[in-house]
Amino acid sequence: MFALLPFCVFAQQSIDQRVEELLSKMTIEDKIGQLNQMDGRRDVEKIKDEVRRGTLTSIMNIVDPAVTNELQRVAIEESPAGIPLLFARDVVHGFNTVLPIPLGMAASWDEELIEAAARNTALEATERGIRWAFAPMMDIARDARWGRIAESFGEDTYMAGRLAAAVVRGYQGESLSDQTSMAACAKHFVGYGDAEGGRDYNTTTIPPRTLRDVYLPPFKACVDDGCASIMTSFNDNDGLPSTGNRWLLTELLREQWGFEGVVVSDWGSVAGLIPHGVAHDKRDAAQQCIVAGCDVDMSSRSYLLHLKDLIEKGEVDEAVLDEAVRRVLKLKMELGLFEQPYARTAEKSDIYSEEVLNTACRLAEESVVMLKNESVLPLGEDVKRVLVVGPMADAPYDQMGTWALDGDKTHSVTPIMALREEWGDRVVIDYIPCLTHPRDKSTAEFKKMQKAARKADVVLAFVGEEQMMSGEAHSLSSLDLQGAQSQMLEAVAEVDTPLVTVFMAGRPLTIARQVEISDAILYAWHPGTMGGKALANIIFGKSSPSGKLPVTFPRNVGQIPIYYNHKHTSHRAKGTEGNLDSIPREAYQSVMGHTSSYLDVAPSPLFHFGYGLSYTTFELSDIAIEKTAVTADDTIRVSVVVKNSGTREGTEVVQLYTGRKTASVTQPMKELKGFQRVTLAAGESRKVEFELPVSRLAFHNRDMVLAVEEGKYTLWLGTDSQNGLKTYFKIIK
Ligand code: BGC
């Protein structure tokens, strides 16, 4: 045991020197052990044996500090090299206090609040001994069939980068060595969200330019923000599984981007090269992945079993092993594990603290998107009796969504609980769930529901998805409401009482019919622990909805993939297509023109990216751009006056898009390049200013070089991706 030098000696040396010193004393077995990560959900005595033998660098999924501290003691006092362990967990959206799913967080467009909530999450998780969090996930997701869209920040590259960087800042805090900080892990590198057909783990076929312009930039943003680690993805892109892709993990990530942190495989994805069909066995897989630049083998034990032999036989250079170990040791030192290896003890626990819950509630409120409101919401003084129906009205577990590993459902505030608690004194609240869970097909309670609806001033229907309907390996081919939920809404809509439908789901569902028959629609995603309170606040107008869609809502599954920043194409749809009934039987050639569209559905989505209503209204005017000709290293300054033209306070998200018609390669119609939340009192106006570095407009040109191209651009400042004021500028030499 030689690792735990006295702190005073360490403090005098730089981390690099300390790493070298430690590395020089390690045996090949010690080193290989530092690249092996294991799941901790097994017999603790068996894990202890492994730790004692020095075969583990990191253990996942143990959140009991009594256990982690004991394992840590064994690592330090009894393992050959005495190197502390790093405890890891999927801390994806909150820890004990569950935040809205990342897709919901993204709907807030509020990076400051996301950062604050992520900081709280780090406080909770580090109290349980976790110092490495497998998040943020920043896969670009344009296919709602993919269950993991829930874990993403949606379809937009710029937005995903900004919000993921906020999570990294929140998790990693001011300094990694602070005991309340966790190393973040940007995942999944790369392209995983583009799984063919939306089937999880499926092949992706992303061409080099799209990979660079759409899928890689969020990772680059996190690398630039000091993200400590990166996780590879399961998918193979164009023939190469990421975990064995040397171009990706070494040439691009390390040599071009200068990333110095740790690369970890996804679960078993080193050995995953075998079923992918590019490795014969674990030995072959280990060889390919370590050489590619994957430092830590999560749970496949391929490195542990074969690296020694590979090195002895000269098939892997020991220098490659050293390089990977160096990075792991550096991370452990940066986290201060050699000085403070044990779970921190908080004087006052942050777990489920008032501050943590309040922030979670604000984020849940801001994540709710109002998609329709025919003057029903917020419920006013005249509402005396409310009927609450639907399986999500009281689903404390389901409302936490996917990856809520540490959320305790007994802490969840469900809509029915919050409505009763906050408004029960003033309003009679009847509750008939009708369905026990979202896949329940029973219609037995419908008559009773209709009778109660007749007596009510308004019906609040809570529908959506169970927790297990989205997330990893939970893809769907139909995005319609499950079970008898649609029938339940049809039945209640037959009664002439205003109907407010609230969706709580892990993804955009196909909701065209429900939008038609409801008087108001709130889309609340899976809102987490405080979801019910957030919704009650919005429904009764304590706060106004301010969420905006981070993802396009399709009219039907056949439209997928559908996203706002699609290319121009040579046969652009005009918006009139898709009416099959209007086509005469004798039509030979299409009477709708030859456009990129469907015969049976409009080319437009049901709701577009960036869309969301408020209880007040906003008007934009006076767009002004400082200079209409700029050079590549300039910054564009542009402003717009936003007026709250309604009668109550509210928040608008002003969105900046740019686009160009002609370039050396085809371009998206428009692309998000900035956004700001603006809170205004009734009647108040404010000039909102944006600074847009021209470098943000760079793309990979015809020569595959990242560059800003000269030419004419349109710039929109709007309240969503389709509505806004525009101006023009030129990029000149
Ligand atoms: C997921 C990762 C996750 C890992 C560890 C994998 O199956 O793809 O996102 O971090 O498991 O739990």
Side-chain angles (χ1 to χ4, degrees):
M1 207 280 283
F2 44 77
L4 276 185
L5 295 175
F7 177 62
C8 53
V9 178
F10 271 165
Q12 288 156 13
Q13 294 174 314
S14 75
I15 285 187
D16 287 344
Q17 283 172 329
R18 289 166 55 193
V19 167
E20 291 313 317
E21 198 169 301
L22 181 50
L23 193 66
S24 69
K25 294 177 188 155
M26 289 167 73
T27 63
I28 195 159
E29 287 83 1
D30 294 336
K31 291 178 190 174
I32 293 169
Q34 285 307 304
L35 306 185
N36 183 41
Q37 185 182 49
M38 191 180 85
D39 186 18
R41 288 169 293 191
R42 58 186 74 188
D43 180 52
V44 181
E45 289 310 314
K46 287 207 176 114
I47 303 176
K48 263 196 209 172
D49 284 346
E50 289 236 21
V51 175
R52 219 170 263 126
R53 282 187 277 126
T55 58
L56 288 176
T57 188
S58 164
I59 304 178
M60 298 175 278
N61 300 323
I62 305 183
V63 288
D64 178 352
V67 180
T68 54
N69 286 345
E70 170 58 6
L71 291 169
Q72 193 68 294
R73 188 198 61 73
V74 174
I76 292 163
E77 295 177 7
E78 300 175 25
S79 79
I83 297 170
L85 294 161
L86 177 48
F87 294 99
R89 182 76 152 167
D90 285 279
V91 187
V92 176
H93 54 110
F95 189 71
N96 298 109
T97 303
V98 179
L99 302 173
I101 52 169
L103 193 59
M105 284 192 213
S108 75
W109 299 55
D110 191 342
E111 61 187 335
E112 277 171 33
L113 187 58
I114 291 173
E115 182 179 337
R119 185 92 279 276
N120 288 343
T121 299
L123 292 178
E124 287 192 335
T126 54
E127 226 178 283
R128 313 302 296 174
I130 301 302
R131 299 296 304 281
W132 191 8
F134 297 139
M137 182 182 110
M138 55 188 73
D139 295 308
I140 301 303
R142 295 172 168 179
D143 188 335
R145 292 172 297 182
W146 187 49
R148 298 195 84 168
I149 193 172
E151 290 174 61
S152 80
F153 292 114
E155 74 190 31
D156 185 71
T157 301
Y158 173 73
M159 186 161 168
R162 251 176 82 170
L163 301 186
V167 172
V168 172
R169 289 194 298 275
Y171 281 6
Q172 299 195 168
E174 300 266 301
S175 154
L176 269 187
S177 66
D178 190 304
Q179 277 207 297
T180 66
S181 294
M182 305 187 284
C185 185
K187 70 187 189 185
H188 304 87
F189 200 52
V190 66
Y192 181 44
D194 198 42
E196 250 176 40
R199 286 195 301 286
D200 205 3
Y201 313 121
N202 208 4
T203 294
T204 63
T205 313
I206 308 172
R209 184 173 287 102
T210 310
L211 189 71
R212 288 177 160 96
D213 285 338
V214 177
Y215 292 87
L216 287 169
F219 288 93
K220 176 75 166 55
C222 283
V223 167
D224 291 346
D225 250 40
C227 186
S229 68
I230 285 190
M231 186 187 293
T232 65
S233 59
F234 285 125
N235 58 301
D236 67 307
N237 187 47
D238 195 25
L240 270 190
S242 302
T243 315
N245 185 337
R246 192 180 144 77
W247 170 80
L248 184 69
L249 305 183
T250 298
E251 288 172 35
L252 181 82
L253 180 64
R254 299 199 189 283
E255 293 169 9
Q256 291 178 34
W257 292 2
F259 178 66
E260 291 180 353
V262 169
V263 173
V264 59
S265 78
D266 201 346
W267 187 287
S269 73
V270 170
L273 263 58
I274 308 165
H276 265 301
V278 295
H280 301 294
D281 49 26
K282 281 192 176 183
R283 189 175 184 281
D284 188 8
Q287 194 275 344
Q288 292 190 43
C289 294
I290 190 86
V291 169
C294 174
D295 302 320
V296 175
D297 174 1
M298 184 195 287
S299 81
S300 93
R301 296 175 90 82
S302 309
Y303 286 4
L304 191 67
L305 295 172
H306 300 291
L307 273 186
K308 189 165 181 225
D309 184 50
L310 284 162
I311 289 167
E312 282 170 359
K313 299 229 165 70
E315 290 169 65
V316 170
D317 196 335
E318 193 167 347
V320 172
L321 171 71
D322 285 354
E323 206 39 49
V325 176
R326 230 175 236 123
R327 292 191 277 256
V328 172
L329 295 178
K330 188 164 172 238
L331 175 60
K332 290 186 174 181
M333 288 190 189
E334 284 171 348
L335 284 164
L337 289 177
F338 286 81
E339 293 87 25
Q340 297 281 3
Y342 299 105
R344 74 184 181 94
T345 38
E347 259 171 46
K348 200 170 138 279
S349 174
D350 290 294
I351 294 174
Y352 295 123
S353 74
E354 203 182 325
E355 195 314 282
V356 172
L357 292 172
N358 285 343
T359 305
C361 188
R362 267 181 57 212
L363 189 51
E365 258 172 49
E366 289 190 9
S367 74
V368 175
V369 186
M370 185 161 72
L371 296 173
K372 177 178 181 180
N373 188 17
E374 306 267 304
S375 312
V376 195
L377 291 174
L379 303 186
E381 295 288 320
D382 51 327
V383 171
K384 302 274 186 269
R385 186 171 205 120
V386 169
L387 170 65
V388 175
V389 301
M392 293 301 287
D394 196 22
Y397 178 68
D398 291 322
Q399 75 178 36
M400 294 192 292
T402 184
W403 283 125
L405 302 174
D406 299 285
D408 174 353
K409 69 174 184 179
T410 64
H411 284 266
S412 290
V413 180
T414 67
I416 189 67
M417 283 160 69
L419 289 167
R420 281 179 176 149
E421 165 84 23
E422 313 257 330
W423 304 97
D425 286 351
R426 183 168 88 51
V427 181
V428 178
I429 299 174
D430 299 319
Y431 174 42
I432 304 175
C434 277
L435 305 169
T436 56
H437 62 282
R439 281 174 299 144
D440 183 353
K441 294 194 174 125
S442 158
T443 56
E445 299 270 274
F446 285 10
K447 283 268 168 315
K448 191 167 129 200
M449 167 183 74
Q450 286 176 319
K451 199 166 160 212
R454 275 183 207 105
K455 285 197 289 180
D457 298 315
V458 68
V459 177
L460 301 175
F462 293 86
V463 294
E465 289 186 314
E466 287 153 89
Q467 183 271 349
M468 57 72 76
M469 294 305 286
S470 61
E472 185 174 347
H474 290 74
S475 297
L476 287 170
S477 69
S478 161
L479 301 180
D480 291 344
L481 279 171
Q482 302 278 336
Q485 294 184 99
S486 305
Q487 293 93 309
M488 182 195 83
L489 291 172
E490 294 288 345
V492 79
E494 277 171 20
V495 180
D496 217 11
T497 305
L499 170 63
V500 177
T501 303
V502 181
F503 288 89
M504 296 163 87
R507 54 158 66 78
L509 294 169
T510 41
I511 58 170
R513 175 65 187 157
Q514 290 77 40
V515 172
E516 204 179 306
I517 62 174
S518 305
D519 299 278
I521 300 269
L522 295 174
Y523 214 90
W525 320 98
H526 282 139
T529 305
M530 298 304 285
K533 179 148 195 237
L535 280 164
N537 286 349
I538 286 181
I539 288 167
F540 278 94
K542 264 197 184 172
S543 59
S544 172
S546 60
K548 300 272 183 170
L549 294 180
V551 66
T552 302
F553 271 48
R555 291 176 191 274
N556 63 23
V557 169
Q559 282 188 318
I560 293 174
I562 184 166
Y563 48 93
Y564 83 95
N565 47 354
H566 58 88
K567 298 281 187 82
H568 284 276
T569 83
S570 59
H571 290 63
R572 191 174 146 194
K574 297 179 186 68
T576 50
E577 300 85 342
N579 185 1
L580 196 53
D581 296 339
S582 73
I583 306 176
R585 245 174 72 73
E586 63 279 9
Y588 166 62
Q589 287 288 344
S590 166
V591 289
M592 300 189 305
H594 295 80
T595 66
S596 175
S597 60
Y598 297 103
L599 291 175
D600 58 350
V601 65
S604 59
L606 184 64
F607 293 110
H608 43 256
F609 178 84
Y611 176 80
L613 301 167
S614 161
Y615 289 154
T616 185
T617 47
F618 295 93
E619 278 165 23
L620 302 189
S621 65
D622 303 306
I623 185 166
I625 191 159
E626 189 189 67
K627 285 200 273 180
T628 50
V630 290
T631 59
D633 40 20
D634 264 343
T635 292
I636 294 165
R637 291 189 176 75
V638 60
S639 65
V640 69
V641 174
V642 187
K643 179 173 184 189
N644 178 344
S645 48
T647 53
R648 58 168 291 160
E649 188 193 87
T651 301
E652 181 55 283
V653 182
V654 184
Q655 302 163 34
L656 186 162
Y657 297 87
T658 61
R660 54 182 292 158
K661 280 202 177 131
T662 318
S664 66
V665 290
T666 59
Q667 292 295 298
M669 304 281 289
K670 54 172 64 167
E671 288 178 291
L672 184 74
K673 295 291 174 189
F675 54 88
Q676 276 184 53
R677 285 174 60 90
V678 191
T679 301
L680 297 173
E684 189 185 350
S685 291
R686 191 174 313 150
K687 186 164 151 189
V688 177
E689 293 173 309
F690 284 86
E691 291 201 344
L692 170 64
V694 176
S695 57
R696 202 175 285 162
L697 306 181
F699 54 86
H700 286 83
N701 64 18
R702 202 175 280 205
D703 300 325
M704 207 53 117
V705 173
L706 180 67
V708 168
E709 265 185 26
E710 288 150 30
K712 193 175 165 191
Y713 282 77
T714 307
L715 184 153
W716 294 263
L717 284 174
T719 52
D720 59 50
S721 61
Q722 304 307 311
N723 297 295
L725 302 177
K726 60 181 169 182
T727 181
Y728 302 93
F729 67 91
K730 259 197 287 190
I731 299 183
I732 53 170
K733 263 216 170 73

